[in-house]
Amino acid sequence: MANLLVLGTQWGDEGKGKVVDFLAPAFEIIARYQGGHNAGHTVYLQGKKIVLHLIPSGILHPDKVCIIGNGLVVSPQAFFKELEDLKALGVEVGPERLLVSRAAQVIMPYHPLLEKIAETSRGQKMIGTTCRGIGPCYEDKAARWGIRVADLLEPDVLREKIVDSLALKNRIFEAFGYPPLAAESILAEYLSLGERLAPYVADVSLFLSEQIRAGKSVLFEGAQGALLDLDHGTYPFVTSSSCTAGGVCTGLGLSPREVNGVLGITKAYTTRVGSGPFPTELKDEVGARIARKGDEFGATTGRPRRCGWFDAVAVRYACRINGVDLIALTKPDVLEELTEVKACYAYRYKRTVLKDFPSEPWILEKVEPQYRSFPVWTRSIHRARDFSGLSAGFLDYLKWLEDNLETRVGLISTGVDREDIICRRDELEKVLGEKARLLG
Ligand code: GDP
Ligand code: IMO
Ligand code: MG
C-alpha cells in the first residue's frame, strides 16, 4: 500500500486533523485536494493547540512535504496568516516543503461579499456558510470567470481578468446597495501577494506523479466530510467542492490508480455546523452535554456545533460511496459523560423502513431514526492507548458499529493528543501493509 486517502464520513469535524497528524510519519507527502480555509483541523504539538485551515495537517512533521492541489480555493491572505501562526509556534515552513498548485483557484475580495448577498437573500433558508467566499469562488470556477494562482504571476492577464470580472460583479453590488470595487487597488494587492506566493507555486500534478514514480507515498487529506460533498451530500446544505473520493483525481490531477486505500474518519456521535437536515440531532440536555464535553465549537467560525447520536445509516452510505476500507473512530471518550449511548441503524419514513441514506432534504427532515441503546461502558476509555484494556461494554458497542457499517475499525482515538490513540495492528496492516509498523 503506497498512497492512502483519509476523509471524513459525516458532516465534517470528525477529527481529521488529529488522525492525519498521527498517520503522517508513514508517508512522505500530505496533499489536500479540495475546499479552502473553511476547514478547521485541530492538531496538538507538545500540548499547544494549532488549528489548520488551508495547510495540510502533516505540516507539523518537519520532514514532510505538503501540497495544496488545484481542487482548492486559495485565499493568499489566509495562506500567509497561517504560515505566520505556525512560525509563532516554532514551526518553520518554506517553499521547499509546501507547494501550491498553479491551477488552484484564488479567492478574491468580491467572493465573501457575493456570499453575504446570497446568504442574506436566502433569508430563513440560508446555508449557514463559513463566509470565507468559498462557494462564490467555486461558482466562478464553474462559470469560467475564475482567477487561478498562475494568473497572479502575470500582470496583464490578471488585470484583464479582474476588469472583466468586476464589470459584471459591480452591477450586482450596485443593485444590492454596495459600493463598486476598484480594479486597480485589487490588482496592486494581488500582484504583490502573487510575488510572495511565487516560490510556492508548482505543477502539483507533475510533481506528485514524479514522486510516486520515484517510490514516495502520499496521504490524501480530505477536508469537510462526505455528507457535505457537492454531489453526494445533503444538497443544497453542502459545501461547494468534491469532498468524496473522486475529488482526489480531479483535485490533484492524478489517476484513480494512485489511490491505494481509503480510511474513513468517523466520530462516535454526529455533529453538524450550519443549516440542513440532521435526523439524529439532539436538541435537549443530552445534546448540550455532548457539545460541552466534546468541546463542539467550530474550529473556523467558533459557532456551536449541533450534536446528535451516531447515525449508521449516514456513515454506511459514506463508506459505500468512498469505498472505505477501514475506519478511525474518534471521540468515544466524550460519550462517557452520559449513562446511555444510542446509535441509529435505520430510518422510518411513511411506514417504510429505510436502511439506505436518502439525500433529499425533505425526506431527511421527516425520517424517524430507529435506535439501538447501549449502557455506557464501565472503564473509561479516555486517553487509552491499548486495545487489550478496553471494557466488554465498549467492545460490544464497537462490534455493533462494525457490523452495521460493514467496515472494520482500525484506529480508536481517545483524546486530543497525538498519542491518545489505539492501533489495531492487524486491521491496519490489512490496509497499510508494512507502513503500519511506522505508526505509534
Ligand atoms: P476536523 O475538522 O475533522 O479536523 O476536526 P476538528 O479539529 O474541527 O474537530 C475535532 C475536535 O475534536 C478537535 O478539537 C480535536 O482536538 C478533538 N479531538 C479529536 N479526536 C479526539 C478524541 O478522540 N477525543 C476527544 N475528546 N477529542 C478529540
Ligand atoms: P472541516 O474540514 C464542518 C459547512 C458550513 C456550511 C456548509 C457550507 O473542519 O471538517 P462553506 O463555507 O463551505 O460554503 O459552508 O459547510 N462546513 C463545515 N462544517 N466542518 C468543516 O470543515 C466545514 N466546512 C464547511 O458550516 O454548513
Ligand atoms: Mg473542523
Side-chain angles (χ1 to χ4, degrees):
M1 216 288 313
N3 308 321
L4 180 73
L5 165 59
V6 177
L7 46 69
T9 60
Q10 292 153 317
W11 279 288
D13 304 325
E14 298 92 347
K16 297 177 291 293
K18 145 98 197 238
V19 175
V20 168
D21 174 61
F22 170 78
L23 292 170
F27 299 86
E28 275 94 16
I29 300 168
I30 292 91
R32 267 198 53 189
Y33 56 91
Q34 47 73 229
H37 66 309
N38 47 350
H41 299 164
T42 314
V43 281
Y44 279 80
L45 181 66
Q46 286 145 15
K48 283 184 284 185
K49 178 177 175 173
I50 305 177
V51 181
L52 296 159
H53 300 285
L54 194 52
I55 294 176
S57 304
I59 202 74
L60 302 189
H61 300 264
D63 56 336
K64 305 301 166 196
V65 173
C66 287
I67 304 279
I68 292 177
N70 63 277
L72 278 88
V73 287
V74 174
S75 154
Q77 294 89 338
F79 176 83
F80 290 115
K81 163 89 173 54
E82 214 162 309
L83 288 187
E84 279 162 28
D85 290 349
L86 282 166
K87 194 170 176 188
L89 288 161
V91 183
E92 289 285 345
V93 182
E96 70 292 345
R97 68 179 195 101
L98 179 60
L99 307 183
V100 180
S101 167
R102 300 176 64 75
Q105 297 284 319
V106 180
I107 299 184
M108 301 298 289
Y110 37 81
H111 290 134
L113 200 49
L114 289 165
E115 185 165 13
K116 192 169 159 192
I117 292 171
E119 282 283 84
T120 310
S121 305
R122 288 179 197 268
Q124 294 280 324
K125 292 179 234 156
M126 65 161 51
I127 309 288
T129 68
T130 60
C131 304
R132 299 291 190 271
I134 307 292
C137 188
Y138 278 116
E139 279 176 46
D140 268 358
K141 173 182 178 175
R144 291 149 294 172
W145 289 110
I147 291 175
R148 313 212 296 185
V149 165
D151 301 334
L152 301 183
L153 315 180
E154 295 291 333
D156 292 341
V157 173
L158 185 61
R159 172 177 284 107
E160 195 178 333
K161 284 197 159 191
I162 293 175
V163 168
D164 288 352
S165 251
L166 284 181
L168 180 65
K169 290 177 173 54
N170 274 340
R171 285 163 69 181
I172 300 174
F173 295 144
E174 274 167 39
F176 283 88
Y178 290 95
L181 301 185
E184 282 308 314
S185 61
I186 296 178
L187 177 67
E189 185 188 0
Y190 279 74
L191 280 178
S192 142
L193 287 165
E195 262 177 47
R196 288 175 69 196
L197 203 55
Y200 299 88
V201 179
D203 182 334
V204 156
S205 161
L206 182 63
F207 174 82
L208 283 174
S209 307
E210 287 175 351
Q211 294 293 309
I212 292 171
R213 205 176 317 140
K216 300 282 166 53
S217 58
V218 188
L219 186 158
F220 305 112
E221 176 186 357
Q224 288 79 49
L227 304 178
L228 286 172
D229 181 272
L230 181 59
D231 288 271
H232 303 290
T234 47
Y235 190 88
F237 300 100
V238 292
T239 191
S240 301
S241 63
S242 298
C243 321
T244 46
V248 176
C249 301
T250 52
L252 286 166
L254 285 178
S255 135
R257 280 198 298 267
E258 311 298 6
V259 182
N260 310 123
V262 184
L263 181 83
I265 317 275
T266 300
K267 188 147 59 178
Y269 50 93
T270 316
T271 59
R272 171 158 211 174
V273 197
S275 327
F278 181 174
T280 60
E281 183 168 15
L282 289 162
K283 292 184 176 163
D284 56 7
E285 180 50 26
V286 178
R289 283 174 77 179
I290 294 176
R292 270 198 305 275
K293 181 82 191 303
D295 198 17
E296 296 295 353
F297 294 91
T300 294
T301 57
R303 288 180 290 175
R305 295 174 181 154
R306 299 156 65 192
C307 293
W309 293 123
F310 186 83
D311 186 341
V313 180
V315 177
R316 199 162 50 229
Y317 167 71
C319 288
R320 174 170 67 80
I321 60 174
N322 291 295
V324 170
D325 296 303
L326 196 67
I327 282 173
L329 184 71
T330 61
K331 305 186 86 165
D333 55 302
V334 170
L335 298 175
E336 289 169 6
E337 172 79 6
L338 313 170
T339 47
E340 177 196 30
V341 171
K342 288 188 185 175
C344 161
Y345 58 88
Y347 300 149
R348 187 169 281 281
Y349 178 67
K350 290 188 176 170
R351 293 198 206 150
T352 57
V353 174
L354 303 181
K355 288 206 149 184
D356 295 308
F357 188 73
S359 56
E360 293 83 354
W362 59 90
I363 299 181
L364 281 167
E365 266 154 21
K366 296 219 167 66
V367 297
E368 292 167 39
Q370 309 296 296
Y371 290 112
R372 160 84 198 260
S373 167
F374 302 83
V376 160
W377 38 93
T378 45
R379 206 170 320 135
S380 173
I381 192 175
H382 184 54
R383 308 206 67 186
R385 294 163 189 198
D386 187 6
F387 192 76
S388 61
L390 299 179
S391 62
F394 180 77
L395 294 178
D396 282 350
Y397 166 74
L398 192 66
K399 167 97 176 49
W400 185 92
L401 288 188
E402 291 186 324
D403 289 349
N404 273 272
L405 301 178
E406 294 161 22
T407 314
R408 303 285 284 172
V409 172
L411 286 171
I412 304 167
S413 171
T414 58
V416 299
D417 285 340
R418 204 181 262 173
E419 297 77 21
D420 297 338
I421 201 156
I422 297 171
C423 295
R424 288 169 93 184
R425 298 270 161 206
D426 50 339
E427 296 300 338
L428 281 173
E429 266 172 31
K430 281 185 216 156
V431 177
L432 291 175
E434 290 282 291
K435 284 188 180 301
R437 300 212 186 115
L438 300 170
L439 298 171

